[in-house]
RNA sequence: GCGCUCGUAGUUCAGCUGGAUAGAAUGCUUGCCUCCGAUGCAAGAGGUCAGGGGUUCGAGUCCCUUCGGGCGCGCCA
């Protein structure tokens, strides 16, 4: 029986209000703001009317009545304060149970039962640099991918490549005029980036360029061998470059089917829309009216008959449902596109697909620069690779300074530097906008990734010193038969720490429900802070082996939470740094 | 103009279905390594939870309204 169940039963048995059930009482239970006020509290204000008495008197009477009989072993005492009925758990017992429960890792429940979660994330554009604006979708999606797998779902990562559109005609036009395979070979994505910028500059004074570009676009669609060859080369260069970044970030994809794949599959969608009588002509274009739902119409076909973003998204969603039979399909895309997703989800629903309700737009805030939005076209952007490199370099300096004898400095600096950047992107609510700042992204003090990794390494270090084989969760011989004594480390900090560990799994579930990795980030931050204070307050390797065993078990539980949490946030739980 | 969204210490942010004295981190000031990793720990200072109404025994949290920032609103994605 869990504590809420136990406590609500205790109260129910002593409170005689016919219209209030044990379940109602359970619902009312909450957690006091600080440990000094107990572990669970029942506000008695609601009973005031029924009992025609003041909340203070009710709480006092309940406390007395409950305390008169013997309390269950889990509960230490019951106290009434200002109309609240406060319950105090037995700390050593609870700490022991929790630490034992987390000894072999974070205990898991299978909530997913293998159901498929499609996650459309990162979804980069061909021929463009991976810049800071792309980090959120990649980090959030990559983290959700791991979170859902952890919970027993089957994640399917989809990189819906931006590989379709008129910009590729422009790029080929620019390539033919100003570039060559030699230059591509040498400068790769940088060359493509420069061509893109140059094209837009020159097109302003030379409108003929757009005509040539349009020709090339048409040639790509008609599968003209030369156009396709050049275009495929652009794609190859992009994927090579960005693959390196994905490796560094630790994100994976199960599919790279992009827009071009779906561009010639929109016919079926249009036909279906016509059959359902949803399509309407308007100013030469074909639209689905959504007035009834307080939304502007959803554009399906341009006046020249070409498909649009929404059309291809409809085709893509149908394809994904057929291919993966997903339980949910997530789109990790910035909030600018809120309306687009609302519209396209609604259109799918109107088409009669009941699974439209399983599509979720996971929207997040945007990253901008101090002087405005990032833009590839104008060349105002900050490349992620540069940020990662700078972070790694700075970390390397810190390690060399503080821990000159460290092993594998390069490897460690890579894990910590990259981790710091990822963490900065995952630690806040995803909806918040971020103004990029070098100072902020390169600050490693306080609530940062390095702090978490440091704390994990610190745990490993103590455990190792004590002879704990933490990879196999085995205590050393000399502690095996000793009874752990938790009684000597039950202050409020240690207590809060253990309670944060106790509910760690629930937080992971909450993070999944809200598609919000920052919930996990906040929790492991609390655990790390609590542990660092614990570490300072107590000697882990106490001479008294019973005490030592208890503290090692707490350390192991902390380590396991940090490891799992870090991994779910794409950070590496390194063992020394 | 309409719609969505955000507004909490100087700054960046937490704050579970409404609950007790609003919490961290970072600036800043100042302590702590003869002891398990000082990338650590602690103390001080810093708040009209944007303003105003309302619902409630109780509002940072819910409702209305004003102000301010961001985003979106037909042939881009």
């Amino acid at each position: 029986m869990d504590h809420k169940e136990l406590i609500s039963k205790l109260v129910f048995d002593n409170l005689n209000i016919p219209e209030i059930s044990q379940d109602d009482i359970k619902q009312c239970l909450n957690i006091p703001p600080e440990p000094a006020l107990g572990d669970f509290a029942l506000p008695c204000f609601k009973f005031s009317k029924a009992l025609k008495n003041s909340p203070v008197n009710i709480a006092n009477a309940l406390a007395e009545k409950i305390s008169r009989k013997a309390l269950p072993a889990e509960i230490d005492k019951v106290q009434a304060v200002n109309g609240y009925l406060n319950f105090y758990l037995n700390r050593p017992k609870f700490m022991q149970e929790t630490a034992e429960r987390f000894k072999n890792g974070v205990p898991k429940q299978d909530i997913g039962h293998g159901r498929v979660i499609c996650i459309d994330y990162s979804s980069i554009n061909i021929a463009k640099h991976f810049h800071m604006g792309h980090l959120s979708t990649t980090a959030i999606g990559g983290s959700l991918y791991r979170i859902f797998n952890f919970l027993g779902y089957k994640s399917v990562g989809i990189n819906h490549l931006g590989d379709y559109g008129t910009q590729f005609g422009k790029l080929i036009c620019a390539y033919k005029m100003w570039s060559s395979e030699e230059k591509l070979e040498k400068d790769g994505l940088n060359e493509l980036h420069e061509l893109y910028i140059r094209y837009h500059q020159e097109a302003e004074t030379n409108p003929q360029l757009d005509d040539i570009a349009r020709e090339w676009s048409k040639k790509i669609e008609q599968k003209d061998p030369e156009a396709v060859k050049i275009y495929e080369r652009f794609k190859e260069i992009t994927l090579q470059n960005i693959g390196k970044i994905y490796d560094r970030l630790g994100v994976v994809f199960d599919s790279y089917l992009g827009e071009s794949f779906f561009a010639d599959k929109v016919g079926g969608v249009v036909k279906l829309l016509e059959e359902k009588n949803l399509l309407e002509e308007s100013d030469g274009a074909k639209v689905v009216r959504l007035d009834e739902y307080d939304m502007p119409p959803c554009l399906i076909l341009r006046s020249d008959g070409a498909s649009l973003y929404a059309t291809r998204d409809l085709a893509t969603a149908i394809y994904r449902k057929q291919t993966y039979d997903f339980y949910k399909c997530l789109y990790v895309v910035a909030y600018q596109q809120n309306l687009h997703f609302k519209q396209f989800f609604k259109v799918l629903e109107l088409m009669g697909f009941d699974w439209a309700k399983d599509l979720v737009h996971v929207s997040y805030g945007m990253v901008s620069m101090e002087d405005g939005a990032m833009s590839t076209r104008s060349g105002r952007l900050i490349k992620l690779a540069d940020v990662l490199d700078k972070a790694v370099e700075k970390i390397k300096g810190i390690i060399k300074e503080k821990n000159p004898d460290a092993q594998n400095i390069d490897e460690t600096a890579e894990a910590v530097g990259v981790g710091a950047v990822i963490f900065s992107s995952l630690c806040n609510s995803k909806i918040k906008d971020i103004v990029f700042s070098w100072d902020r992204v390169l600050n490693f003090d306080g609530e940062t990734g390095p702090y978490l990794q440091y704390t994990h390494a610190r745990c490993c270090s103590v455990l190792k010193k004590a002879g704990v084989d933490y990879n196999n969760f085995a205590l050393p011989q000399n502690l095996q038969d000793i009874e752990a004594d938790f009684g000597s480390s039950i202050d409020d900090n240690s207590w809060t720490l253990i309670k944060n560990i106790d509910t760690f799994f629930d937080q992971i579930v909450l993070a999944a429900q809200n598609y919000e990795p920052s919930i996990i980030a906040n929790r492991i931050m609390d655990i790390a802070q609590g542990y660092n204070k614990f570490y300072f307050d107590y000697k882990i390797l106490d001479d008294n082996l019973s005490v030592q065993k208890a503290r090692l078990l707490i350390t192991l539980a902390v380590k396991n939470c940090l490891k799992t949490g870090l991994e779910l946030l794409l950070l590496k739980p390194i063992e020394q740094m």
Side-chain angles (χ1 to χ4, degrees):
Chain A
M1 198 183 327
D2 73 351
H3 294 112
K4 278 195 173 182
E5 189 72 28
L6 188 71
I7 290 168
S8 56
K9 183 166 186 342
L10 214 51
V11 174
F12 181 72
D13 291 344
N14 288 282
L15 182 76
N16 292 313
I17 306 177
E19 60 270 30
I20 290 177
S21 69
Q22 187 185 328
D23 229 40
D24 295 333
I25 295 168
K26 200 171 163 186
Q27 288 296 314
C28 291
L29 285 176
N30 59 40
I31 294 164
E34 50 182 307
L37 292 166
D39 302 302
F40 291 97
L42 180 74
C44 295
F45 308 97
K46 283 188 177 125
F47 312 138
S48 202
K49 249 178 209 163
L51 293 176
K52 298 201 169 78
N53 202 341
S54 79
V56 175
N57 287 338
I58 296 169
N60 288 343
L62 275 172
E64 208 205 303
K65 212 168 160 188
I66 292 171
S67 304
R68 215 179 291 149
K69 294 169 223 161
L71 289 168
E74 286 82 359
I75 296 172
D76 238 20
K77 63 171 175 173
V78 182
Q79 208 169 45
V81 181
N82 296 332
Y84 289 87
L85 191 61
N86 294 334
F87 295 84
Y88 295 75
L89 299 183
N90 180 312
R91 293 188 178 185
K93 182 175 162 60
F94 182 85
M95 289 173 91
Q96 171 130 30
E97 284 168 4
T98 304
E100 291 284 353
R101 203 152 51 83
F102 279 77
K103 190 174 148 256
N104 301 326
V106 175
K108 281 201 212 184
Q109 295 164 38
D110 179 2
I111 359 197
H113 306 296
R115 285 174 294 185
V116 171
I117 309 276
C118 286
I119 309 175
D120 178 328
Y121 71 106
S122 202
S123 298
I124 46 138
N125 293 318
I126 297 302
K128 291 188 185 169
H129 271 122
F130 195 110
H131 63 68
M132 279 305 287
H134 302 126
L135 180 57
S136 300
T137 172
T138 310
I140 293 167
S143 175
L144 291 175
Y145 185 97
R146 294 192 185 189
I147 291 169
F148 280 104
N149 275 342
F150 181 83
L151 295 176
Y153 295 90
K154 172 82 190 91
S155 297
V156 174
I158 302 175
N159 200 322
H160 190 64
L161 295 179
D163 57 1
Y164 180 84
T166 50
Q167 69 267 33
F168 299 107
K170 294 175 182 175
L171 209 55
I172 292 180
C173 164
Y175 170 77
K176 295 289 282 184
M177 292 180 71
W178 308 307
S179 187
S180 63
E181 173 55 31
E182 288 73 46
K183 286 188 176 172
L184 278 190
E185 181 65 35
K186 186 162 163 283
D187 289 330
L189 206 49
N190 281 326
E191 175 65 13
L192 292 178
H193 178 70
E194 296 301 327
L195 287 174
Y196 190 73
I197 292 173
R198 181 164 173 192
Y199 177 90
H200 283 284
Q201 280 170 353
E202 303 222 2
E204 277 186 26
T205 53
N206 181 3
Q208 275 190 330
L209 287 182
D210 283 336
D211 295 333
I212 304 173
R214 216 165 291 131
E215 281 302 306
W216 280 111
S217 289
K218 207 177 284 175
K219 282 189 183 174
I220 297 175
E221 278 187 52
Q222 291 163 347
K223 310 244 188 295
D224 169 85
E226 189 189 7
V228 168
K229 193 180 165 206
I230 298 173
Y231 168 76
E232 287 296 331
R233 178 74 178 122
F234 291 169
K235 194 163 164 177
E236 185 189 359
I237 288 170
T238 311
L239 290 179
Q240 240 172 35
N241 182 291
I242 289 180
K244 280 184 211 153
I245 290 189
Y246 288 148
D247 286 346
R248 295 181 83 178
L249 297 178
V251 298
V252 292
F253 298 93
D254 303 288
S255 163
Y256 279 89
L257 288 187
E259 286 186 85
S260 63
F261 178 82
F262 296 99
D264 55 4
K265 293 182 176 48
V266 297
V269 172
V270 175
K271 206 175 144 210
L272 208 54
L273 285 166
E274 269 166 351
E275 280 170 20
K276 299 262 172 185
N277 249 331
L278 292 166
L279 227 45
E280 208 173 293
E281 182 146 339
S282 169
D283 296 334
K286 296 272 172 89
V287 307
V288 176
R289 293 260 172 224
L290 296 170
D291 302 22
E292 274 184 66
Y293 311 99
D294 294 320
M295 280 187 270
C298 182
L299 280 264
I300 301 295
L301 291 177
R302 292 196 319 219
S303 20
D304 65 2
S307 69
L308 280 148
Y309 186 35
T311 328
R312 294 191 290 277
D313 267 355
L314 289 167
T316 306
I318 293 167
Y319 174 90
R320 284 181 191 166
K321 183 64 187 176
Q322 285 168 350
T323 307
Y324 301 108
D325 192 27
F326 54 72
Y327 168 66
K328 295 233 182 272
C329 180
L330 317 183
Y331 295 84
V332 187
V333 179
Y335 66 61
Q336 279 102 318
Q337 296 185 32
N338 278 356
L339 178 60
H340 165 256
F341 282 105
K342 261 176 79 179
Q343 288 180 312
F344 127 64
F345 293 170
K346 178 56 80 178
V347 172
L348 265 181
E349 185 192 318
L350 295 175
M351 289 168 84
F353 295 113
D354 59 342
W355 47 265
K357 63 178 177 8
D358 302 324
L359 305 181
V360 181
H361 176 208
V362 178
S363 74
Y364 58 84
M366 44 180 251
V367 180
S368 59
M369 315 225 309
E370 271 153 31
D371 50 350
M374 290 198 198
S375 136
T376 302
R377 188 174 298 190
S378 63
R380 284 170 9 102
L381 55 83
I382 292 167
K383 287 189 247 171
L384 178 67
D386 291 346
V387 178
L388 295 179
D389 290 343
K390 282 216 167 109
V392 170
E393 193 186 339
K394 188 170 172 191
I395 290 286
K396 201 181 286 182
I398 295 172
I399 296 176
K400 279 182 179 160
E401 179 195 327
K402 307 212 168 179
N403 192 3
D405 306 327
Q407 313 251 304
N408 309 327
I409 291 185
D410 287 344
E411 204 181 312
T412 306
E414 171 74 13
V416 178
V418 172
V421 176
I422 297 175
F423 189 80
S424 75
S425 162
L426 289 178
C427 66
N428 292 334
S429 303
K430 58 189 186 309
I431 197 66
K432 304 250 179 188
D433 288 328
I434 299 168
V435 177
F436 179 82
S437 134
W438 279 107
D439 285 347
R440 209 173 307 138
V441 80
L442 294 179
N443 170 41
F444 308 131
D445 295 325
E447 296 175 335
T448 61
Y451 177 87
L452 294 171
Q453 287 169 315
Y454 169 78
T455 308
H456 181 266
R458 192 181 224 186
C459 289
C460 291
S461 174
V462 196
L463 290 167
K464 216 179 292 172
K465 193 152 284 186
V468 178
D469 176 5
Y470 50 74
N471 288 317
N472 296 305
F473 316 112
L475 295 177
Q477 276 298 327
N478 66 329
L479 294 177
Q480 299 236 337
D481 299 323
I482 288 177
E483 194 162 334
D485 173 9
F486 284 83
S488 61
S489 24
I490 54 167
D491 66 300
D492 285 350
N493 176 63
S494 318
W495 181 234
T496 305
L497 170 64
I498 213 79
K499 290 212 294 179
N500 277 330
I501 291 171
D502 173 52
T503 53
F504 183 55
F505 184 83
D506 306 331
Q507 290 294 296
I508 298 175
V509 175
L510 194 65
Q513 282 168 349
N514 293 292
Y515 311 107
E516 184 65 272
S518 69
I519 291 175
I520 295 172
N522 286 333
R523 175 52 62 92
I524 56 173
M525 188 56 69
D526 284 343
I527 291 175
Q529 286 173 333
Y531 183 75
N532 278 321
K533 181 160 170 48
F534 178 83
Y535 181 92
F536 181 83
D537 289 341
Y538 297 109
K539 191 173 160 99
I540 310 295
L541 304 179
D542 196 273
D543 294 338
N544 180 325
L545 291 184
S546 292
V547 172
Q548 180 180 141
K549 181 167 179 178
R551 292 176 185 166
L552 283 172
L553 283 170
I554 291 173
T555 303
L556 192 54
V558 167
K559 188 234 172 254
N560 288 334
C561 288
L562 292 180
K563 177 171 187 285
T564 296
L566 285 168
E567 283 170 347
L568 294 179
L569 297 171
L570 307 173
L571 302 212
K572 293 205 171 85
I574 51 181
E575 298 179 9
Q576 55 181 359
M577 59 188 279

